Amino acid sequence: MRGLSVVRAVVVAAAAGGVVFGSAEVDVDADWSRASDTRAAQNASAALNTTLVCPGPDRPGTPGYEDAKQTVDLATGGAPASVLKPHGEGAVRAARLPSGAGAAPPTRTAPVQVARDRVSGAGGIHLDGSGSAATGLAALQSWDDEEQSVGGFAMAPCGVLTKDTWFPLGGNQSGRVGRVVISNPSSAPVTVDAEVLGRGGVDAGQGAKGLVVAPGDRAVVGVGDFGDELSNAFVHVVARGGAVAVSGVDAWMTGETRSGQAGSAPAAAGTDLVLPQVPVVAGTPTVRVAVPGALGTSVRVRAIDSAGLVVADEVTDVDAKSTVAVPLTDVPKGSYAVRVTSEQPVAAAVLAMANTSGTSDIGWATPVRSSGALIGSPLPKLPEGAGATLGLFSADRPATVDVVTDDGAPRRVHLEKDRPLRLDVSERDSVWVRVLAGSVRGSVVVSGQIEDRPVLEVSPLEPVAVEATVRESTAERD
């Protein structure tokens, strides 16, 4: 059997540190003595898939909201040819999680322009990109509510699967509730723990332990009615027996006044976290920090303005398995990058507020992964009065990128190290950032005034799969 080996083809997503996001793998027997098998192996990745999962409407079917009517907007698109060369046929297929949740968006063939769908029903959306649509695929869910029990504009990136992630959720204010949306697109059940960590450790009365999410299904865990111990809570989701897609929703009512709602994007804990765009609109910005491990740590929090100046620099000690709030006092209104460094891994986030009283909206800024290749996403359709900005940040060294909105010509941008950059992307259907040198992090902020109410939301720009490669996984080839 000389000349035989097993080929593992992988769709590789762009990310720093050699981590593969949004990948799929398959083993193929190949005889390297045959030129046809060599060519087939080189093209094997074209048959692979990239999986993204959108949370879908979070309220319908959940306890207390069984009959809730909620519709979300889903924008799906592929990177344009100016940043990612097209290569053959492909398609994006959608399915609901669970299948009986309602209608799914139709199949789209590559090249996938930005497509918009309205989705309702108690279920998520599983997007499967195959062939050439397995690279460059991104999707974003958004929703804007003015209901009696909830109000505000929110976004949630349709994400890849994870086994361990963190995100902020809720607070100790009356009328504030959170929902953890867990989706399992795989063919096997997955067991999930969703723990809520506060100042005194894990609260056994919140979250879920040993929750089994059936194949092709979704579960929503409600959390809230927090006391002071959970005023700066983080949710930690760990999956066993497989990976899941996770998203958080934070909804806040002050009596009958809508204080806002926000999506909360999951992120890994780390020792050097960057939030590339944090809007300071009202009140004192506060950085929520969690230490998940068995050792306490010293945490440094810096806010950096558009000139690269550090306008706030706070250091605090945080106990193991606890959370704290670090206020950034005397920071004027504006937009900042926030960098959180520590000796031990931490989770961190900043809650942005449109108003401190009356009708308001909120947005969670969470850490964003660095990419040395491509980040991007479709953008939501915004009503008159609201706009969107792209925020970019390159830590420790300069970077050069091409920014493309929709399918237009690339705009060459040079980023100075440790100096945030903002670009207006209002009235655009999508934004893509191709990294030519260095590495960058990015996010999108939506803000403004829609009639008599403010809107405010923050969403990360995640690394996007850029190429398919073939790896030989045995040494039997001559």
Side-chain angles (χ1 to χ4, degrees):
M1 298 294 288
R2 294 178 64 82
L4 291 180
S5 68
V6 177
V7 173
R8 175 151 291 172
V10 186
V11 175
V12 181
V19 181
V20 176
F21 298 103
S23 66
E25 300 185 352
V26 63
D27 290 336
V28 181
D29 288 327
D31 184 345
W32 296 103
S33 65
R34 295 197 301 262
S36 60
D37 276 16
T38 301
R39 289 193 300 271
Q42 291 170 344
N43 294 323
S45 58
L48 298 185
N49 301 347
T50 290
T51 290
L52 298 177
V53 178
C54 318
D58 60 282
R59 297 194 303 276
T62 62
Y65 298 89
E66 288 82 1
D67 299 323
K69 304 297 182 184
Q70 182 187 9
T71 300
V72 301
D73 295 304
L74 179 61
T76 307
S82 56
V83 295
L84 188 62
K85 184 178 179 180
H87 54 282
E89 298 180 350
V92 178
R93 295 172 174 83
R96 297 303 301 273
L97 302 171
S99 59
T107 297
R108 266 94 182 199
T109 56
V112 181
Q113 306 296 329
V114 174
R116 300 188 183 276
D117 298 284
R118 299 274 286 169
V119 179
S120 59
I125 305 98
H126 173 200
L127 299 174
D128 182 84
S130 61
S132 62
T135 56
L137 179 63
L140 178 72
Q141 175 182 310
S142 62
W143 61 105
D144 188 19
D145 291 321
E146 285 189 276
E147 303 293 331
Q148 184 176 358
S149 61
V150 64
F153 179 83
M155 296 188 291
C158 301
V160 298
L161 306 185
T162 181
K163 292 183 177 181
D164 192 325
T165 195
W166 291 83
F167 53 93
L169 208 59
N172 62 340
Q173 299 87 354
S174 177
R176 192 165 176 184
V177 298
R179 282 177 283 275
V180 183
V181 184
I182 305 166
S183 303
N184 176 17
S186 73
S187 58
V190 179
T191 303
V192 175
D193 296 335
E195 296 181 332
V196 180
L197 180 68
R199 186 171 61 202
V202 173
D203 189 322
Q206 295 282 351
K209 187 79 171 177
L211 174 67
V212 178
V213 185
D217 204 353
R218 183 188 84 160
V220 180
V221 178
V223 297
D225 193 23
F226 289 164
D228 290 342
E229 287 289 308
L230 296 178
S231 59
N232 299 296
F234 267 87
V235 175
H236 184 204
V237 174
V238 177
R240 304 187 301 277
V244 293
V246 182
S247 185
V249 180
D250 196 343
W252 188 355
M253 292 288 294
T254 304
E256 296 182 355
T257 302
R258 304 180 188 96
S259 296
Q261 68 172 336
S264 183
T271 57
D272 190 353
L273 305 177
V274 175
L275 292 63
Q277 188 177 195
V278 176
V280 177
V281 182
T284 298
T286 300
V287 183
R288 187 178 291 192
V289 178
V291 177
L295 295 176
T297 189
S298 178
V299 178
R300 184 183 184 188
V301 178
R302 285 167 286 173
I304 308 165
D305 70 9
S306 59
L309 300 176
V310 176
V311 298
D313 193 343
E314 303 288 343
V315 177
T316 188
D317 293 328
V318 188
D319 292 335
K321 297 187 182 300
S322 68
T323 64
V324 299
V326 182
L328 303 178
T329 55
D330 300 324
V331 172
K333 293 182 180 180
S335 180
Y336 304 89
V338 171
R339 192 167 186 179
V340 181
T341 54
S342 57
E343 299 166 349
Q344 300 294 324
V346 300
V350 179
L351 181 67
M353 301 178 62
N355 288 320
T356 56
S357 62
T359 301
S360 184
D361 202 4
I362 58 175
W364 276 114
T366 55
V368 181
R369 295 189 293 250
S370 177
S371 173
L374 179 66
I375 60 176
S377 174
L379 297 173
K381 273 292 186 188
L382 298 175
E384 185 176 352
T389 59
L390 165 68
L392 298 174
F393 188 85
S394 178
D396 298 331
R397 58 176 177 164
T400 301
V401 302
D402 279 345
V403 178
V404 176
T405 55
D406 305 337
D407 57 355
R411 174 183 175 183
R412 185 67 47 87
V413 176
H414 299 284
L415 294 170
E416 298 181 28
K417 70 172 184 177
D418 302 327
R419 183 174 178 177
L421 176 70
R422 297 172 69 232
L423 299 172
D424 184 14
V425 291
S426 303
E427 300 181 3
R428 303 296 184 180
D429 283 329
S430 63
V431 62
W432 309 90
V433 181
R434 181 185 179 187
V435 183
L436 305 176
S439 61
V440 300
R441 295 170 171 88
S443 65
V444 171
V445 167
V446 170
S447 62
Q449 192 84 11
I450 301 177
E451 297 179 348
D452 61 346
R453 63 186 177 93
V455 293
L456 183 62
E457 180 62 308
V458 186
S459 184
L461 282 185
E462 296 289 354
V464 177
V466 294
E467 65 180 2
T469 64
V470 176
R471 291 203 305 248
E472 186 182 351
S473 60
T474 76
E476 292 178 299
R477 180 182 176 185
D478 288 331

